[in-house]
């Protein structure tokens, strides 16, 4: 099947706000596809060349944070954040947009910088030199049937020698949190099986990814 050819001339701006834009991608005469995006026109994924597409920096990071203290069972760190489109506190991973300051340099540096900053802001934890930071996947699309939004998946394994002091006071803007969940492998498997948290609330695909990654011991 012939690949639709989407060019700059195809894309028309139909809605603009600080964090969200909508473009009409007229890929053929009389045929339209609407694209919700965090990007402005010049950074729109649909109009990138194949080479630009393969080198692009994602919009955000999602972090799989594992607490691996010597002599103890490893735990996965999750938190409950209010997600406005769902009107619920959703069990999730530390995550956030890659800022311009993060993106100075190559894609790998941008992803690592953003991951460390988001973990600090959302948990109060300073990722140290003894901790492990690894990019699991440099870019995955959230829901490419509707949006070009993308996330990098980052594994952070903490090796604390002292008790961790967690705080959500670093939340910025519209971010709203309601506590942490620190779970072992058995609990992760239970959450995967149930498909929802202990309050019966569904969680995001990134939470599911973190649970599976942790439960399968892929972080080791």
């Amino acid at each position: 099947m012939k690949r639709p050819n989407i060019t700059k001339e195809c894309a028309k701006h139909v809605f603009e706000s600080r964090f969200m834009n909508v473009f009409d991608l007229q890929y053929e005469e009389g045929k339209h596809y609407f694209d919700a995006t965090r990007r402005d026109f010049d950074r729109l994924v649909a109009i990138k060349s194949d080479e630009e597409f393969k080198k692009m920096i994602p919009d955000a990071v999602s972090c799989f944070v594992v607490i691996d203290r010597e002599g103890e069972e490893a735990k996965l760190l999750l938190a409950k954040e209010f997600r406005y489109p769902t009107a619920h506190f959703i069990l999730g991973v530390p995550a956030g947009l890659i800022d311009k300051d993060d993106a100075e340099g190559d894609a790998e540096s941008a992803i690592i910088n953003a991951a460390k900053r988001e973990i600090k802001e959302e948990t109060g934890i300073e990722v140290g030199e003894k901790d492990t930071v690894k990019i699991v996947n440099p870019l995955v699309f959230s829901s490419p049937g509707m949006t070009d939004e993308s996330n990098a998946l980052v594994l952070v394994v903490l090796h604390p020698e002292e008790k961790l002091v967690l705080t959500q006071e670093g939340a910025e803007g519209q971010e709203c949190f309601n506590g942490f969940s620190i779970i072992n492998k058995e609990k992760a498997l239970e959450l995967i099986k149930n498909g929802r948290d202990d309050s019966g609330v569904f969680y995001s695909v990134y939470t599911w990814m973190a649970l599976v990654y942790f439960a399968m011991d892929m972080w080791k």
Side-chain angles (χ1 to χ4, degrees), residues 109-181:
S109 297
I111 291 166
I112 297 299
N113 291 340
K116 290 181 177 179
R117 178 181 51 76
E118 288 295 339
I119 290 171
K120 174 64 175 176
E121 290 176 2
E122 297 187 5
T123 72
I125 297 171
E126 191 88 46
V127 178
E129 293 182 1
K130 294 182 180 180
D131 300 322
T132 303
V133 182
K134 173 188 174 182
I135 296 176
V136 175
N137 193 305
L139 190 149
V140 293
F141 290 107
S142 302
S143 180
M146 181 185 70
T147 175
D148 64 9
E149 182 190 41
S150 58
N151 270 244
L153 307 180
V154 182
L155 170 68
V156 177
V157 183
L158 305 173
H159 303 286
E161 296 178 357
E162 300 178 357
K163 183 179 179 180
L164 290 174
V165 179
L166 301 175
T167 176
Q168 294 170 324
E169 294 181 358
E172 297 183 344
Q174 295 174 312
E175 291 181 331
C176 179
F177 293 92
N178 189 31
F180 296 97
S181 291

Side-chain angles (χ1 to χ4, degrees), residues 3-4 6 25 35 37 39 42-59 107 111 137-145 147-151:
R3 171 179 165 180
I6 301 174
L25 306 179
D35 174 18
T37 178
R39 298 169 179 257
D42 290 334
R43 297 175 57 247
L44 196 63
V45 174
I47 63 175
K48 288 183 179 295
S49 67
D50 288 350
E51 184 177 353
E52 290 171 331
F53 180 89
K54 293 173 183 178
K55 294 180 179 179
M56 70 177 178
I57 296 175
D59 298 307
I111 291 166
N137 193 305
L139 190 149
V140 293
F141 290 107
S142 302
S143 180
T147 175
D148 64 9
E149 182 190 41
S150 58
N151 270 244

